[in-house]
Amino acid sequence: MSDINPMSIALKNCAKTFADGTKALEPLDLAINAGETVVFLGPSGCGKTTTLRIIAGLEEPDAGGSVLFDGQDVTQIPIEQRNVGMVFQSYALFPNMSVAENIGYGLKIRRMPAAQVRTRVGEMLAMMQIEKLANRRIDQLSGGQRQRVALARAIAVRPRALLLDEPLTALDAKLRDTLRLEIDTLLRSLKITAIYVTHDQAEAMALGDRIVVMEHGRVAQIGAPRDIYQKPASRFVADFIGTMNRLNGAVRNGVFTCRAGDLPWPAAPADASEILFRPEDIRVTEDGEPSTLRGRIASAFFLGDRTRLFVEVGERQPLVVESTARRDFSHGEQVGLAIDPRGIVIL
Amino acid sequence: MRTKWLFNLQLGFTLLVCAFLIVPVILSIMAGLTVNYLVGIESGLTLRWVMEVWNGYRNTIFLSIGISLACLVVTLLIGIPTAYVLARRQNALARAIEELLVMPVAVPGLATALALIVTYGSLSGFRTSWTFILVGHVLFTLPFMVRSVLAVLMAIDLNTLEEGASSLGAGWWRRFRDIVLPNCRAGILAGSLMVVTLSMGEFNMTWLLHTPFTKTLPVGLADAYASLRLEVGSAYTLVFFLMIMPLLLALQAFAQPRLKKYVPEDDTHE
């Protein structure tokens, strides 16, 4: 499968203002390495799809912006000559063609001889494990099958980059997990430059070499999934990616004092008035173990492998605490809590 | 028990409605084949009236078929691109054009015909040609083609389909030919059937637009009913019926979608 020659993509000063005056994207500079999988993540209307469409050539950036493929300016080149594979949320499969014809369409346009088209279509059908569907009509396929066909069709033409616009959003949760794994394996084995747009942070974390978190047409943070999760650059990123707990208080002599109690924290900066931490960095203490904070259980959800607790500590929001599934919790129960200071983030 | 009673009632009602519609057709056909309609079927069956119509009026039939097919070609050539543009442009101007297109259907045919005669009547070569009638028919039938195609184009996600095709390298013409046209096949078929049948049966406008040398079938039919025996008129209907049915069936067959079969390589010996 090493027949794909990955390319680097760069955006220079790309902004987008729509005809009605809506500013969809503030001027953006972005460099994507060859063979890298970059995920654009953000809520709807954050500009992630617009950015993808500018890279694809479906939208033109405002004057002054340029798109570079391997250092070459392609801003004025229409999508049909950019040789990028696209996968759409609605699949965009052609209802007038069979599965095999859909996959072979791009090759036919490239005037590939029929015999070679058939070979390539066969390869793609095998790769996506949909050989049996070759002669089906599109309306005879399930959502997951459709997305497999759409992927096969986009990859068949050996594109220089693969652009995926919320490819799994229309599928149900279980299928989403399966296909996410498949897409991950596929992107890694193809070593193709891929840009993946989603609003689902779990998808972004699983697939991205790097994640570009976007908000209101601006980049909020760019980084590896681990960096973005552990060192969010802003409150928006902290809240959008995963669950974040917050406690308000003040630091005095290496102790953070809040309504729930005193938290020894030697490395505390003197001006910290709010601390943030992930549910996995706080735990319920065992009986007899010294606990730093105390709270009252507002609700407990048994999830099978663990129990998710919402603990009232006198803040606006209850703390989310992950606990082992072995212990039984009851509503209103008083519990002791311990926080791992290494997980504390200040913004 | 109760449902069976209800079912029988519905069946009876349906059959009654069908009979109400079909009996006149049968009577009309029989009238065209009866020696003397006033006497009734006892007077015997004959092909005399059919032959009389065939000899006297077959030119009107051919002219009507010719005009309706020409009308179909023109409405296809104008109507499909129009619908495509209207579907792509979702603005007030597009909506206004869409509404304006329907005007010739709302305005009485006689008024449209008069307007055409007042404007172009002095161009004698045009006035006496069958194309003069064609212009009227195109005006009248175009909205039906545009509307049918537009409805289908609006129902499919045309934009995304085209974006998908262009991401695979298809330029404008390939997209139109490979994606747009095949996917609005159903609308084109519906529009075509409307255009052909409406053009074939159009009387209002044609009555004013025709000349003695450009008499269409409905005009001839009116003549026959007005000036000849009822049997001749009925035979006329019969001939018309026999000529238009194959045409409409052919149109339907032509529009059937076909998928090419993919044969994997190692199965080629089959």
Side-chain angles (χ1 to χ4, degrees):
Chain A
M1 278 325 151
S2 56
D3 50 37
I4 284 170
N5 206 356
M7 65 164 178
S8 67
I9 298 171
L11 294 180
K12 292 233 153 67
N13 195 31
C14 279
K16 181 71 192 175
T17 313
F18 283 118
D20 62 356
T22 320
K23 196 108 176 128
L25 193 63
E26 302 290 337
L28 169 72
D29 290 292
L30 186 67
I32 294 164
N33 303 322
E36 187 183 25
T37 300
V38 169
V39 177
F40 293 170
L41 173 67
S44 58
C46 72
K48 56 189 193 299
T49 295
T50 307
T51 312
L52 186 83
R53 291 172 65 86
I54 287 175
I55 293 171
L58 290 169
E59 304 280 356
E60 218 182 308
D62 293 349
S66 55
V67 181
L68 307 175
F69 285 3
D70 271 341
Q72 191 189 0
D73 192 327
V74 294
T75 318
Q76 298 305 318
I77 295 179
I79 177 171
E80 54 260 35
Q81 287 158 31
R82 288 195 188 186
N83 197 17
V84 292
M86 266 203 98
V87 177
F88 299 85
Q89 182 180 345
S90 58
Y91 321 118
L93 295 173
F94 311 132
N96 57 313
M97 299 181 194
S98 69
V99 166
E101 282 179 281
N102 262 281
I103 297 174
Y105 183 68
L107 304 169
K108 223 173 86 187
I109 286 176
R110 285 164 175 72
R111 298 177 195 284
M112 188 187 261
Q116 285 181 39
V117 171
R118 205 167 53 195
T119 311
R120 183 69 177 158
V121 169
E123 278 172 33
M124 290 297 115
L125 289 168
M127 185 176 81
M128 300 310 297
Q129 296 162 23
I130 47 174
E131 293 101 323
K132 289 202 176 71
L133 307 177
N135 286 310
R136 292 270 185 90
R137 282 204 321 269
I138 299 308
D139 56 17
Q140 295 169 318
L141 305 180
S142 70
Q145 291 170 335
R146 283 178 205 211
Q147 204 47 286
R148 283 194 180 87
V149 177
L151 275 164
R153 185 180 72 174
I155 295 167
V157 297
R158 298 183 171 88
R160 300 166 75 195
L162 190 59
L163 311 177
L164 305 108
D165 186 7
E166 307 230 9
L168 304 181
T169 303
L171 303 172
D172 60 66
K174 198 157 188 180
L175 196 56
R176 215 153 49 211
D177 286 347
T178 319
L179 264 172
R180 185 170 74 195
L181 190 66
E182 277 182 36
I183 290 178
D184 188 46
T185 315
L186 189 69
L187 295 180
R188 312 241 163 255
S189 68
L190 291 173
K191 297 184 173 56
I192 192 173
T193 308
I195 301 175
Y196 190 106
V197 165
T198 182
H199 63 264
D200 180 343
Q201 47 108 3
E203 247 170 72
M205 305 279 266
L207 289 171
D209 291 325
R210 281 195 299 159
I211 298 176
V212 178
V213 186
M214 299 186 72
E215 179 196 14
H216 299 312
R218 282 195 187 82
V219 171
Q221 189 173 3
I222 303 180
R226 187 182 297 274
D227 292 338
I228 290 197
Y229 187 77
Q230 291 177 346
K231 291 177 216 124
S234 68
R235 277 160 190 276
F236 170 77
V237 177
D239 285 331
F240 194 76
I241 314 272
T243 308
M244 201 50 119
N245 287 314
R246 48 188 71 202
L247 283 173
N248 289 299
V251 175
R252 194 172 300 145
N253 304 327
V255 175
F256 180 81
T257 307
C258 60
R259 286 203 195 93
D262 295 331
L263 171 69
W265 183 24
D271 58 344
S273 63
E274 185 191 50
I275 60 169
L276 295 96
F277 52 93
R278 300 287 183 190
E280 59 270 27
D281 290 319
I282 181 168
R283 61 185 180 84
V284 176
T285 53
E286 305 287 334
D287 289 337
E289 190 187 351
S291 55
T292 48
L293 306 176
R294 292 202 67 76
R296 189 178 56 82
I297 292 183
S299 31
F301 296 97
F302 177 64
L303 300 174
D305 55 341
R306 64 207 145 90
T307 302
R308 170 160 281 212
L309 304 170
F310 289 82
V311 183
E312 202 63 67
V313 288
E315 299 279 334
R316 227 155 32 116
Q317 298 280 336
L319 298 181
V320 181
V321 181
E322 301 283 350
S323 175
T324 66
R326 256 166 278 131
R327 189 166 152 189
D328 206 17
F329 294 97
S330 56
H331 184 88
E333 187 184 336
Q334 290 284 336
V335 288
L337 300 164
I339 296 174
D340 182 351
R342 284 171 302 179
I344 294 175
V345 177
I346 303 167
L347 288 173
Chain B
M1 227 34 233
R2 202 180 123 80
T3 49
K4 191 161 185 213
W5 183 79
L6 251 175
F7 172 79
N8 284 335
L9 191 74
Q10 285 175 341
L11 182 69
F13 183 71
T14 309
L15 289 177
L16 199 70
V17 172
C18 288
F20 183 75
L21 295 171
I22 290 170
V23 166
V25 176
I26 295 170
L27 280 182
S28 178
I29 289 172
M30 290 316 293
L33 296 171
T34 312
V35 174
N36 187 330
Y37 182 70
L38 293 176
V39 176
I41 200 88
E42 305 89 75
S43 61
L45 295 173
T46 178
L47 282 176
R48 183 185 148 199
W49 312 122
V50 173
M51 292 317 292
E52 211 165 282
V53 167
W54 183 249
N55 291 328
Y57 287 97
R58 66 167 170 249
N59 287 338
T60 69
I61 297 170
F62 288 130
L63 181 66
S64 266
I65 291 177
I67 288 180
S68 66
L69 289 179
C71 186
L72 175 61
V73 170
V74 175
T75 49
L76 284 173
L77 290 177
I78 303 175
I80 297 173
T82 307
Y84 175 65
V85 172
L86 290 178
R88 291 298 300 261
R89 301 268 148 87
Q90 296 295 328
N91 56 29
L93 182 69
R95 295 289 78 80
I97 291 173
E98 208 185 314
E99 296 307 317
L100 278 176
L101 268 172
V102 193
M103 286 305 286
V105 182
V107 172
L110 286 174
T112 312
L114 269 174
L116 283 174
I117 290 169
V118 167
T119 318
Y120 302 112
S122 51
L123 305 169
S124 61
F126 182 41
R127 174 70 184 91
T128 54
S129 133
W130 63 275
T131 53
F132 195 58
I133 298 175
L134 177 65
V135 170
H137 282 201
V138 167
L139 273 177
F140 177 62
T141 56
L142 187 61
F144 293 93
M145 178 62 82
V146 174
R147 286 262 166 180
S148 310
V149 178
L150 189 59
V152 174
L153 287 179
M154 300 291 258
I156 58 176
D157 190 355
L158 184 66
N159 248 332
T160 313
L161 286 185
E162 278 206 63
E163 285 179 356
S166 55
S167 77
L168 293 165
W172 179 84
W173 170 244
R174 291 288 313 239
R175 297 200 298 268
F176 189 72
R177 197 191 68 184
D178 297 344
I179 310 301
V180 179
L181 282 184
N183 284 308
C184 59
R185 202 186 263 271
I188 295 175
L189 171 67
S192 300
L193 289 174
M194 288 288 264
V195 167
V196 169
T197 48
L198 283 172
S199 166
M200 193 79 87
E202 211 292 325
F203 176 73
N204 246 335
M205 212 188 264
T206 320
W207 175 250
L208 273 182
L209 296 178
H210 87 282
T211 67
F213 302 103
T214 58
K215 210 180 264 186
T216 67
L217 192 147
V219 176
L221 196 58
D223 278 4
Y225 277 130
S227 55
L228 295 165
R229 301 179 61 132
L230 183 62
E231 291 87 341
V232 177
S234 296
Y236 206 152
T237 313
L238 180 57
V239 171
F240 170 57
F241 193 67
L242 289 176
M243 302 219 48
I244 189 141
M245 281 317 282
L247 182 67
L248 296 182
L249 288 175
L251 269 179
Q252 295 256 25
F254 187 67
Q256 282 300 318
R258 286 170 291 263
L259 286 186
K260 260 198 223 118
K261 202 165 163 65
Y262 168 81
V263 186
E265 274 183 307
D266 44 356
D267 289 9
T268 39
H269 56 267
E270 276 184 335

